Amino acid sequence: MYDNGTTTGARLRMLRKWRKKSLVELAGQAGVSKSFLSMVERGERALDRRSHIAAIARALQVSEADLVGGPHLSHDPVQSGPYAYVPALRVALETNSLTSAATDHARPLPDLLEDVAKVDALTAASDYLAIGRMLPGIIDELHVHIAAPADEQQMRRALEALIEACRFAVTPLKELGHPDLAHLAAVRAAEAGVVLGDPVQQGKADFLRVQTMPREGSWDRTLRAAEQAADRMQPHLAEPGAVPVCGMLTLTAALAAASVHNNAGAAHWLREAADLAKRVSDDMTANWAAFSTTNVGIWNVAIAVERGEVGGAVLDLAGRVREDKALARPSRYVSMMADVGRGLAREKTSRHQAIGWLRRAETAAPQRVRNSPLIRETVAVLLNQQLLAAGGRELRGMAARMGLPH
């Protein structure tokens, strides 16, 4: 579904009427208030919490994509450009297997490993277009080294690199509206982890599996899977690279707990993550998936926004994150700026500040921000609230780049 115009509120009203549900009935089934649903339908409130989206989609018996729309293709080449490489990623993931490569050509493995490191840097910059140019070929060639390895050591190095390549594919594919391909990348990583038989590599694959689980009515399953994976890592924390992997699993468990309104569970897993972060350097460039004390602080902001925090509370949490540390991994800092903007947008007295945070995020990572369904929804609602005196021009510019009516 390519949807460039309809708002989430309009889609919600259409789907609710299609299912012949009243506002009261749908609100009861989704566990939200009638007034909240009514404001969403009128474009006065953003439907930007993961738990709300999942609950409403489940109650309507539709997918999240049906509810929030997408992919959203605009005339802006920065926003729409990354979509051009989705077909190549699909081919690479669907035509290769660990026992049968789809091509017989591959560069030497050291050259491929250098390219994997380059994609890691591109991921840090949220450069989806450059990732899309490089990643399909890397995935193809790694499968050649796995299916017909020169020796076992080469195969293991290629399998480990494939897990990383799949990790780099997951976030862009999810943001671009292709959760099926993101899940396929996670499945391929899991297959590689099984062959390796290494608990740290299997933990990395578990992280991807949890990240790509369907959300409609399954946040409780996501929580359970993340908790189980984190528990499996506990006996192996002394092994090289294990602590950051376990840390990322605990952060995912915290977000999932917040999404099922288990605030005690979210707080527990955040404490676990903070304790693990003390065991590694607070340098997001040094640890797997940027796990660090600074990253725990960034996730804390995201989890607070998921819990429904607004205004000053969100700003206070963001203020505890050291900007110099966060900027070492720009994609993570952008995530925090966007989350702060979303939190500020929920409160009338702080909406004018939200625009500045969202624009900063867009300037730093335009491809990511312009393709984020949650940010798109916030911008659409802010625009609908007609904040002309406090940034209407900025909002209209962002809306145009996202393909929103403005």
Side-chain angles (χ1 to χ4, degrees):
M1 174 169 55
Y2 294 84
D3 182 354
N4 291 314
T6 308
T7 65
T8 298
R11 275 188 296 273
L12 172 57
R13 184 184 297 109
M14 178 189 69
L15 291 167
R16 177 175 62 78
K17 291 183 176 181
W18 175 58
R19 289 297 190 193
K20 296 181 173 59
K21 293 180 185 291
S22 68
L23 279 170
V24 173
E25 184 180 10
L26 179 58
Q29 292 173 347
V32 298
S33 70
K34 174 190 172 184
S35 61
F36 171 75
L37 281 183
S38 179
M39 286 188 287
V40 169
E41 289 193 358
R42 296 197 304 270
E44 297 173 2
R45 284 287 297 272
L47 186 61
D48 69 340
R49 288 175 62 180
R50 297 167 179 85
S51 55
H52 287 164
I53 294 169
I56 293 170
R58 180 179 68 249
L60 289 170
Q61 297 179 297
V62 298
S63 72
E64 290 190 10
D66 291 329
L67 182 59
V68 302
H72 304 285
L73 299 180
S74 73
H75 294 295
D76 173 42
V78 175
Q79 185 272 332
S80 59
Y83 288 92
Y85 292 93
V86 171
L89 273 171
R90 181 181 295 278
V91 170
L93 289 167
E94 291 185 348
T95 61
N96 287 290
S97 73
L98 298 187
T99 57
S100 178
T103 180
D104 59 1
H105 169 73
R107 288 166 291 161
L109 187 57
D111 293 348
L112 284 177
L113 298 182
E114 287 182 9
D115 275 0
V116 170
K118 291 177 183 176
V119 177
D120 187 19
L122 296 171
T123 300
S126 296
D127 190 343
Y128 294 171
L129 191 58
I131 292 169
R133 290 190 185 111
M134 293 185 67
L135 206 50
I138 291 172
I139 291 173
D140 271 344
E141 294 177 75
L142 286 173
H143 278 89
V144 173
H145 287 285
I146 293 166
D151 52 49
E152 183 178 354
Q153 182 183 16
Q154 183 192 70
M155 182 181 71
R156 294 185 68 84
R157 292 173 68 198
L159 286 165
E160 291 173 2
L162 180 62
I163 291 174
E164 294 304 301
C166 289
R167 176 167 70 92
F168 302 144
V170 162
T171 296
L173 287 171
K174 286 171 59 180
E175 293 286 357
L176 296 176
H178 294 275
D180 59 325
L181 287 184
H183 177 69
L184 180 56
V187 168
R188 186 60 46 81
E191 293 169 350
V194 169
V195 175
L196 285 165
D198 180 323
V200 176
Q201 297 298 326
Q202 289 174 325
K204 292 179 180 181
D206 283 339
F207 174 74
L208 299 185
R209 180 173 67 89
V210 172
Q211 288 289 310
T212 60
M213 290 179 72
R215 302 311 188 198
E216 295 90 347
S218 69
W219 272 107
D220 55 337
R221 297 189 181 198
T222 301
L223 173 58
R224 179 177 174 80
E227 290 176 333
Q228 290 176 336
D231 288 343
R232 283 195 296 271
M233 289 297 300
Q234 288 297 321
H236 307 285
L237 289 180
E239 298 183 23
V243 170
V245 176
C246 188
M248 293 307 297
L249 288 165
T250 61
L251 288 173
T252 304
L255 178 60
S259 297
V260 296
H261 311 294
N262 180 353
N263 290 337
H268 163 75
W269 287 109
L270 276 172
R271 287 193 299 271
E272 289 285 316
D275 288 342
L276 287 167
K278 294 174 184 175
R279 301 172 61 169
V280 298
S281 166
D282 190 19
D283 179 358
M284 291 200 291
T285 65
N287 306 318
W288 187 79
F291 181 72
S292 61
T293 295
T294 296
N295 205 2
V296 172
I298 291 172
W299 276 71
N300 204 0
V301 174
I303 290 165
V305 173
E306 178 56 35
R307 288 199 308 261
E309 296 287 352
V310 299
V314 176
L315 279 175
D316 178 63
L317 289 172
R320 302 177 194 178
V321 176
R322 284 185 54 178
E323 185 174 19
D324 59 327
K325 296 283 189 180
L327 285 171
R329 192 79 179 181
S331 61
R332 299 304 306 132
Y333 190 55
V334 165
S335 294
M336 188 183 76
M337 287 191 289
D339 285 333
V340 171
R342 289 170 52 221
L344 292 171
R346 293 171 179 168
E347 198 167 59
K348 187 175 182 179
T349 57
S350 59
R351 285 173 188 159
H352 64 287
Q353 293 175 275
I355 302 164
W357 283 86
L358 294 172
R359 278 291 292 122
R360 286 171 61 196
E362 184 194 19
T363 299
Q367 295 176 45
R368 181 173 186 175
V369 170
R370 294 176 198 176
N371 283 295
S372 167
L374 298 181
I375 301 172
R376 175 188 169 90
E377 171 69 356
T378 297
V379 169
V381 171
L382 283 172
L383 191 65
N384 193 61
Q385 291 164 339
Q386 298 181 352
L387 300 179
L388 299 178
R393 181 178 299 174
E394 293 278 17
L395 278 173
R396 288 193 295 273
M398 288 190 73
R401 293 185 291 273
M402 292 179 173
L404 286 165
H406 59 284

